[in-house]
Amino acid sequence: MTDDPNVAAAQVKDGIAWLSFNRPAKRNAMNPALNRRMAALLDELEFDKGVRVLVLKGEGAAWSAGMDLKEYFRETEAEGLGAIRRAQREAYSWWRRLRWFQKPTIAMVNGWCFGGGYGPLFACDLAVAADEAQFALSEINWGILPGGGATKVVVDLMSMRDAMYHALTGELIDGKRAAAWKLVNESVPLAQLETRVAEIAGILIKKNPVTLKATKDAIRRVKEMSYDNAEDDLIRAQEAANSFANEGRKEGIKQFIDEKAYKPGLGPYDRSRG
Ligand code: COA
């Protein structure tokens, strides 16, 4: 198993990190090396001051043909349960990182998007597809159920009827239908895809970055909550965002570590000084 650093790539320009699936010859199927590389790139980009928005795109004809059937499934299965679980962790963990990424994220779906690809698709806050892109839960065609979150993705985003049809038939849908079924926000002709995504990124770049992060997290969190819990959570989230620059903790640490003026285990720091 290789650890090729070129299986995923990133380029930062004008506040946008263009992060690419970069195995075009394999239709950007996600193998373990790609999953590890994506995690490393997200680490590099997340707190890069030059990055205000992240766009996830695919090199070549595909966005991602899903999990690599040879390297992710067959080869790890041959190594046993430990290897299977490790490969799953490597895939799921970068998708989770992406779901809660510090900056807003946009999936720019230029081409094929299959099965496991729905994990990073859902992880992106917004998704714009080319009309020409092709989506399918192809798992049914080769004999597994849509795992790796893919079933959860379609149930969360689509109507139950559309999700069921999509998962049971494995039929391809194009970008326009993916937009109609709410798998993506919208679709545009491939020739206009990058321009449209850059336009949306431009809207986001003008917003307060603390508010963007608080809002994207709130949208994902409240979906799982009752109205009353959401109402309460949003008050706390807003107040946490308001006090993002709260300096009190720093004063508390300084008075203990630097000044030895008090012991946090025995009482509070001197609040009159900060
Ligand atoms: N896993 C492993 N290899 C894959 C792959 C995948 N998911 N998707 C494509 N590839 C490989 C092919 O085996 C082929 O390798 P080779 O050149 O060494 O023979 C190469 O990528 C190109 O694929 P090919 O099928 O020739 O391209 P295509 O443009 O004719 O068709 C697809 C593109 C995406 C329709 C087709 O590759 C496909 O059906 N892929 C599997 C999609 C899938 O079911 N994914 C779900 C996984 S959860």
Side-chain angles (χ1 to χ4, degrees):
M1 195 185 296
T2 58
D3 234 348
D4 179 356
N6 301 316
V7 289
Q11 198 185 20
V12 178
K13 193 162 177 276
D14 301 330
I16 305 174
W18 298 90
L19 177 62
S20 307
F21 292 107
N22 193 29
R23 296 181 76 212
K26 298 289 184 187
R27 304 300 181 263
N28 299 324
M30 289 176 272
N31 65 353
L34 182 144
N35 291 328
R36 286 193 286 273
R37 183 71 187 136
M38 281 292 190
L41 286 169
L42 290 180
D43 275 344
E44 283 173 27
L45 296 169
E46 187 158 28
F47 292 99
D48 181 328
K49 287 194 167 38
V51 175
R52 301 291 301 275
V53 175
L54 182 142
V55 175
L56 182 57
K57 61 181 217 155
E59 291 301 327
W63 191 69
S64 173
M67 308 321 292
D68 188 306
L69 270 63
K70 178 170 170 282
E71 294 185 40
Y72 178 84
F73 285 110
R74 193 165 67 188
E75 291 179 2
T76 55
E77 279 164 18
E79 286 179 49
L81 188 60
I84 293 169
R85 290 286 181 265
R86 187 177 62 233
Q88 288 168 337
R89 272 198 304 276
E90 286 168 349
Y92 301 169
S93 64
W94 79 264
W95 305 343
R96 190 175 311 118
R97 288 282 318 281
L98 195 56
R99 284 201 298 282
W100 303 104
F101 199 68
Q102 187 68 25
K103 319 286 170 66
T105 55
I106 307 172
M108 183 173 99
V109 186
N110 46 295
W112 302 113
C113 179
F114 284 101
Y118 285 31
L121 177 70
F122 178 73
C124 289
D125 302 318
L126 299 172
V128 184
D131 293 341
E132 298 88 336
Q134 295 283 333
F135 298 77
L137 284 182
S138 52
E139 285 87 341
I140 196 82
N141 291 334
W142 64 277
I144 66 166
L145 65 79
T151 296
K152 174 73 174 152
V153 170
V154 293
V155 167
D156 269 13
L157 296 182
M158 296 177 174
S159 76
M160 195 276 267
R161 290 286 180 220
D162 290 340
M164 191 70 88
Y165 188 91
H166 198 53
L168 289 181
T169 65
E171 275 177 19
L172 288 165
I173 59 172
D174 65 9
K176 286 183 183 170
R177 180 157 295 192
W181 285 5
K182 313 294 184 202
L183 191 54
V184 299
N185 291 91
E186 61 182 81
S187 79
V188 296
L190 180 60
Q192 292 161 27
L193 183 61
E194 193 167 320
T195 306
R196 176 63 184 139
V197 167
E199 186 179 79
I200 297 171
I203 295 170
L204 299 174
I205 284 171
K206 293 199 189 81
K207 311 291 185 196
N208 177 325
V210 174
T211 314
L212 280 172
K213 170 67 171 150
T215 303
K216 60 178 264 181
D217 288 2
I219 294 280
R220 287 191 191 270
R221 293 281 184 215
V222 301
K223 193 162 190 306
E224 313 291 330
M225 294 180 193
S226 67
Y227 192 96
D228 281 349
N229 284 346
E231 193 177 65
D232 189 51
D233 186 78
L234 291 169
I235 289 170
R236 290 163 209 281
Q238 179 57 50
E239 288 172 359
N242 289 348
S243 60
F244 188 73
N246 173 9
E247 297 295 301
R249 280 178 319 115
K250 290 185 189 161
E251 182 64 26
I253 294 172
K254 187 177 85 181
Q255 289 181 23
F256 175 52
I257 298 292
D258 303 330
E259 301 174 7
K260 303 200 182 306
Y262 83 114
K263 292 183 192 296
L266 304 180
Y269 70 93
D270 179 357
R271 297 275 321 279
S272 69
R273 294 201 284 127

